[in-house]
Amino acid sequence: MSKLNANDKFLDLSDYGRSFGRFFAEQLKETRFTAIHVTLLFGISGLIAIYCILNQHYILASFFIILKSGIDAADGELARLKKMPSYTGRYLDSIFDIILNFFFLATIGYVTSASIFLLLGAFVSIQLQGTLYNYYYVILRNKSVGGDTTSKVFEYKTPTALTGESQKAVNILFGIYTIVYGIFDKIIHFLDREAYKVKTFPNWFMTLLSLYGLGFQLLIISVMLPFGWIEFVLPFFIGYSVLILALIGIRKRLIS
């Protein structure tokens, strides 16, 4: 099942791992592997990338960062193939993402002897960028006929566990999710309170917005590392945040 109907599909520059993810999920369809196992696997790939950065094996680090993006696409695909969507998987995926994002940047900051302020600035920036992308994308998914609605526009209430998952696990993961993502969600919602009223977003706008998708952010890092530009990664993502206001301005002026 696709996250969007045919009319709402767009060229997602951050979703380059989807083909690999779909292929990988197909291989696991008839096995005992679940989407959560795949989520744990992309976490391992991310940790290997961090180890490689620490040891300045930047080509290998880039490989495992890209592999992480491909495996990341597979967990949702496997859940849909097995018809086993879950809030446990949805929140665990997001929690792993933010933890890995922080440690990717922290490791880069350590290797380059960057200040804590530069590190935190880059982390806040990369999360706000990703939150803007997710905010508009989830709105589109929820309004798309037949689209995926596991993710909600406003994550204020603990959802009821779906078949096959524990309500206790959902409660715990939702609590962690709201703590680590809540402030970023509130900031983006404050900047564009009326976005959820939009009937749909044009495909060109979503493609432009996908420059802020996590996959594209990681692709930027994976390109900068082997070129020897590691010291520019943190300042780049701070400067890259200028597009946040530009994209919100485009939405408010041209899309209603």
Side-chain angles (χ1 to χ4, degrees), residues 62-256:
S62 296
F63 170 79
F64 282 105
I65 289 172
I66 296 298
L67 181 61
K68 181 266 180 191
S69 294
I71 299 173
D72 195 359
D75 54 4
E77 291 290 340
L78 186 59
R80 286 184 283 277
L81 283 173
K82 291 195 171 192
K83 298 182 180 179
M84 294 176 61
S86 73
Y87 288 109
T88 302
R90 180 257 185 274
Y91 293 127
L92 191 63
D93 184 298
S94 296
I95 291 167
F96 271 31
D97 277 336
I98 196 170
I99 291 173
L100 286 173
N101 282 354
F102 178 78
F103 281 106
F104 282 145
L105 297 178
T107 304
I108 290 170
Y110 174 79
V111 170
T112 60
S113 300
S115 71
I116 186 67
F117 300 105
L118 187 62
L119 166 60
L120 292 178
F123 176 69
V124 169
S125 296
I126 207 170
Q127 289 307 130
L128 286 175
Q129 294 160 23
T131 300
L132 181 69
Y133 168 78
N134 288 326
Y135 181 50
Y136 290 144
Y137 188 30
V138 171
I139 290 173
L140 181 64
R141 281 165 58 180
N142 277 258
K143 295 196 174 188
S144 181
V145 178
D148 175 66
T149 56
T150 304
S151 297
K152 305 296 181 185
V153 178
F154 303 109
E155 302 273 6
Y156 296 144
K157 182 180 179 182
T158 306
T160 301
L162 299 173
T163 303
E165 64 177 339
S166 162
Q167 184 64 56
K168 182 178 181 180
V170 173
N171 293 347
I172 292 172
L173 290 171
F174 177 78
I176 297 172
Y177 174 88
T178 54
I179 290 171
V180 297
Y181 281 100
I183 184 64
F184 302 112
D185 289 341
K186 286 181 173 62
I187 291 172
I188 295 301
H189 181 227
F190 173 78
L191 292 174
D192 193 358
R193 294 178 181 274
E194 305 298 311
Y196 74 95
K197 296 180 181 179
V198 175
K199 292 182 179 179
T200 190
F201 297 111
N203 292 347
W204 63 264
F205 177 73
M206 293 305 299
T207 294
L208 184 61
L209 186 68
S210 69
L211 292 171
Y212 271 171
L214 176 58
F216 197 81
Q217 292 171 324
L218 294 179
L219 180 62
I220 291 172
I221 294 175
S222 68
V223 169
M224 295 182 79
L225 289 179
F227 275 96
W229 300 337
I230 186 170
E231 64 189 56
F232 300 114
V233 173
L234 301 186
F236 170 82
F237 279 105
I238 293 174
Y240 198 40
S241 291
V242 70
L243 289 178
I244 291 177
L245 296 180
L247 288 166
I248 291 174
I250 290 172
R251 203 294 299 165
K252 288 183 176 181
R253 290 186 63 85
L254 302 179
I255 306 167
S256 59

